[in-house]
């Protein structure tokens, strides 16, 4: 099956009357996830970095999104304010998809200190701040779904952040799963259009990382896996890492 041949097994309406907060709006995978959740019936709230405002605004208009908010993910107070606004205006948060991805693969030896710091703070700390803000309301309702993407494109700060998110997810699942909340991760690779934007040397290194499937996936295929993990189809799935990378690690 090619990436263009997506035959979803999911019945539309799985997220009917659910509020889904998706971070990273304005990026291809986050946008695909937001669109898929909306088609499944969710009322979608978008959170985006200021530099992604134009793309996020186009998505919000297309979806008729319930809310679209600029937020610096590394700022714990800004995250808290964003989650409070979503909860107040849309009636809570049933699904959190931490879908922001740094998307700047590279070797540790090649990364500047500022890039390292910003990647870790946005991707790892930002994921933690969003989880922290939604978890108590979810515990009061004894229901909720949290999904965090793992950027496993290639080495450096992205990979370190991904491993940190995976460890945090396992720990959080042990804390909250008995309160009806599932917490999972979804590993993703670079999309072809993202790889094309990299410097030639980085693209060449990625050329051998297609994995057993032998082709890169599409954002829409990743979104199908992201839908599964936040629906009742995954009731027995928590603290887990699902891979949507074509078999690459």
């Amino acid at each position: 099956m090619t990436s263009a041949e997506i035959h979803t097994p999911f019945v539309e309406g799985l997220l009917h009357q659910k509020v889904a907060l998706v971070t990273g709006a304005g990026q291809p995978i986050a946008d695909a996830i937001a669109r898929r959740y909306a088609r499944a019936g969710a009322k979608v709230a978008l959170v985006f970095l200021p530099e992604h405002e134009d793309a996020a605004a186009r998505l919000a208009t297309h979806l008729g999104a319930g809310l679209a908010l600029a937020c610096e993910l590394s700022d714990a107070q800004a995250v808290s304010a964003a989650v409070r606004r979503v909860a107040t205006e849309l009636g809570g948060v049933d699904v959190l998809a931490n879908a922001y991805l740094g998307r700047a693969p590279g070797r540790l030896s090649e990364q500047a200190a500022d890039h390292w710091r910003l990647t870790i703070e946005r991707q790892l700390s930002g994921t933690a701040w969003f989880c922290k803000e939604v978890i108590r309301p979810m515990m009061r309702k004894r229901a909720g779904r949290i999904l965090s993407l793992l950027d496993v494109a290639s080495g450096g700060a992205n990979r370190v952040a991904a491993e940190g998110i995976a460890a945090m997810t396992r720990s959080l699942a042990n804390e909250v799963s008995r309160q009806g909340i599932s917490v999972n991760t979804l590993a993703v690779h670079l999309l072809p259009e993202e790889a094309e934007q990299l410097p030639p040397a980085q693209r060449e290194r990625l050329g051998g990382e297609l994995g057993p499937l032998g082709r890169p996936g599409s954002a829409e295929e990743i979104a199908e896996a992201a839908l599964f993990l936040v629906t009742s189809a995954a009731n027995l799935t928590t603290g887990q890492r699902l891979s949507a990378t074509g078999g690459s690690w």
Side-chain angles (χ1 to χ4, degrees):
M1 180 181 292
T2 69
S3 60
E5 297 172 331
I6 301 171
H7 304 291
T8 176
F10 292 109
V11 176
E12 305 303 342
L14 278 174
L15 297 181
H16 180 58
Q17 296 186 334
K18 302 293 186 184
V19 175
L21 192 166
V22 180
T23 74
Q27 295 184 304
I29 294 175
D31 289 358
I33 290 172
R35 290 192 297 267
R36 190 65 186 92
Y37 287 1
R39 290 205 316 274
K43 185 181 296 184
V44 178
L46 303 174
V47 171
F48 56 89
L49 289 172
E51 56 262 42
H52 296 152
E53 182 172 3
D54 290 345
R58 289 193 295 271
L59 176 65
T61 299
H62 172 73
L63 294 181
L67 203 58
L69 302 171
C71 178
E72 174 48 62
L73 307 182
S74 64
D75 185 337
Q77 291 184 337
V79 169
S80 179
V83 173
R84 284 200 308 271
R85 185 172 169 190
V86 172
T88 299
E89 297 191 21
L90 301 185
V93 177
D94 302 294
V95 173
L96 168 63
N98 291 302
Y100 167 74
L101 297 168
R103 306 322 250 165
R107 296 171 179 172
L108 176 59
S109 60
E110 300 170 345
Q111 294 190 336
D114 287 347
H115 170 78
W116 173 276
R117 187 178 303 109
L118 188 60
T119 300
I120 295 297
E121 289 182 356
R122 282 180 168 177
Q123 210 153 298
L124 177 55
S125 298
T127 295
W129 305 147
F130 273 98
C131 289
K132 178 178 180 290
E133 291 301 325
V134 303
I135 208 69
R136 287 186 179 177
M138 286 181 175
M139 289 176 71
R140 286 195 292 270
K141 292 192 300 183
R142 300 189 67 82
R145 296 288 186 265
I146 296 174
L147 172 64
S148 299
L149 299 192
L150 305 180
D151 189 351
V152 297
S154 178
N158 292 320
R159 196 59 178 264
V160 171
E163 296 303 324
I165 292 168
M168 180 179 67
T169 293
R170 291 191 296 271
S171 176
L172 187 56
N174 284 329
E175 293 179 23
V176 303
S177 292
R178 293 194 181 187
Q179 280 75 48
I181 304 166
S182 74
V183 193
N184 291 291
T185 61
L186 179 64
V188 300
H189 211 272
L190 278 174
L191 300 175
E193 58 266 36
E194 293 172 321
E196 283 300 315
Q197 298 176 13
L198 296 176
Q202 287 186 335
R203 286 203 306 271
E204 184 177 350
R205 285 202 297 270
L206 290 170
E209 297 184 13
L210 290 177
L213 193 59
R215 67 169 178 84
S218 69
E220 289 72 26
E221 288 174 300
I222 292 168
E224 292 296 328
L227 175 63
F228 161 71
L229 286 170
V230 300
T231 68
S232 58
N235 275 352
L236 294 180
T237 306
T238 192
Q240 302 302 308
R241 168 181 167 148
L242 185 66
S243 177
T245 64
S248 296
W249 282 86

